[in-house]
Amino acid sequence: MTSVAIAQLDQNVRTWLQESRDQILAAMASKVNVDTKTNRNDLVTNVDKANQLFLIGKIRQAYPQAHIEGEEGTSAKAADLTGLVFFVDPIDGTMNFVRQRANFAVMIGVYENGQPLYGAIMDVMANAVVTGGPDWPLQLNHKALSAPGDPELAAGLLGVNGPMALKNKLHLGDIALASSGARMSGSAGMEFNAIARGQLVGYVSYLQPWDIAAGLAIGRSFGLIVTRPDGEPIKLLEPGIVVAAMPRAQEQILLMMNELD
Ligand code: 2AM
Ligand code: CA
Ligand code: CA
Ligand code: CA
């Protein structure tokens, strides 16, 4: 049993994401200010920060009891996963936002006592929101989306983290070559949306909590398997390498990661 009405949560989150989208599109029409964080490829903009503040305000108003874990450091960090926790990535794929003005997402993942409740990922430029959870159906823009199939790795496209695949870390280059083809979108949210829509069989990357929270929750509506490279479950508050794929491909990816020398 959950203390939260998921239908109401879904309606709230979809409304907030539409408002986020309107504000992001308006901000893109004027100047976007870009700063670097840890290195020249680690970017944040005024739009990331404003959207995080906007979403935190909405969450606090509707769910005052919730903890909020957001990327841009304006929220109090959740010390543990007790109670209701919202994970917020105000712009996922900031490099794409800055350089491509497309292929970025807004993500919200909601958990209760460590268990996923609900996730939502909005592809902002396409105005496409994928939602789902363990007890909530997979939907695209509030309409049922049929679950993706479960092909062999060789019959599916694999989303990969660029540096990991290019450096063949954990044999990810070899694994990508064993798939139908590798794809690197530069946005974890866009990759999870593509899996939900059957366009990718899986995704392998190094992810932070807000990168994975929404995708993991949505994945529970369609049988996505999400583990560490050793097959262990994800500890949501810890960053690390994530293997998210449909069951057959997920098993094959883990085998290659652990058995190739
Ligand atoms: P971001 O744009 O919200 O930072 C790019 O490959 C993907 O990985 C994006 O989803 C990006 O999210 C995320 N990302 C960027 N730098 C990262 C890092 N140092 N650790 C984990 N994820 C990162
Ligand atoms: Ca970032
Ligand atoms: Ca992110
Ligand atoms: Ca981000």
Side-chain angles (χ1 to χ4, degrees):
M1 265 310 276
T2 163
S3 63
V4 178
I6 301 186
Q8 181 68 60
L9 176 66
D10 173 64
Q11 197 177 17
N12 289 342
V13 170
R14 283 185 297 98
T15 303
W16 302 339
L17 289 177
Q18 286 302 331
E19 291 173 15
S20 281
R21 177 173 188 270
D22 292 344
Q23 294 175 22
I24 291 168
L25 294 179
M28 288 169 79
S30 53
K31 189 170 169 2
V32 173
N33 298 308
V34 184
D35 283 323
T36 53
K37 298 205 296 187
T38 59
N39 63 66
R40 72 185 177 89
N41 295 327
D42 185 5
L43 306 182
V44 64
T45 76
N46 56 311
V47 186
D48 299 59
K49 291 176 182 168
N51 194 40
Q52 173 153 324
L53 284 174
F54 168 75
L55 290 171
I56 287 174
K58 292 292 184 183
I59 296 165
R60 284 211 198 295
Q61 207 171 21
Y63 302 97
Q65 76 278 31
H67 291 276
I68 306 170
E69 186 90 359
E71 180 180 8
E72 303 306 346
T74 46
S75 56
K77 296 278 178 216
D80 58 41
L81 291 173
T82 307
L84 192 62
V85 182
F86 281 68
F87 291 87
V88 174
D89 194 336
I91 292 190
D92 178 67
T94 299
M95 183 61 82
N96 291 350
F97 173 66
V98 170
R99 300 250 187 277
Q100 301 183 324
R101 301 177 78 83
N103 305 315
F104 60 93
V106 181
M107 302 201 275
I108 298 178
V110 188
Y111 286 68
E112 190 167 43
N113 297 320
Q115 295 304 309
L117 274 188
Y118 173 85
I121 302 176
M122 167 177 265
D123 173 342
V124 175
M125 298 317 288
N127 197 12
V129 186
V130 172
T131 47
D135 298 309
W136 195 249
L138 179 62
Q139 294 187 328
L140 171 62
N141 290 340
H142 210 206
K143 293 197 179 73
L145 189 60
S146 46
D150 184 17
E152 303 280 343
L153 178 61
L157 293 169
L158 185 65
V160 293
N161 171 287
M164 281 181 66
L166 294 171
K167 294 175 185 169
N168 205 23
K169 190 169 179 193
L170 288 176
H171 307 287
L172 188 57
D174 300 316
I175 292 165
L177 289 169
S179 74
S180 290
R183 297 292 182 267
M184 304 173 189
S185 78
S187 156
M190 297 293 289
E191 307 274 8
F192 280 109
N193 271 9
I195 298 172
R197 300 172 75 165
Q199 298 166 344
L200 294 176
V201 72
Y203 175 47
V204 181
S205 189
Y206 180 90
L207 298 177
Q208 301 285 339
W210 42 81
D211 292 319
I212 190 178
L216 192 156
I218 296 168
R220 292 286 294 275
S221 66
F222 64 88
L224 184 71
I225 310 288
V226 185
T227 72
R228 296 298 185 205
D230 59 5
E232 289 295 314
I234 306 294
K235 291 199 182 104
L236 206 57
L237 291 177
E238 296 173 7
I241 294 171
V242 173
V243 181
M246 298 311 289
R248 293 213 285 187
Q250 215 271 354
E251 190 181 342
Q252 290 165 344
I253 293 166
L254 292 191
L255 271 176
M256 289 187 76
M257 280 186 167
N258 292 294
E259 287 182 6
L260 291 176
D261 48 43

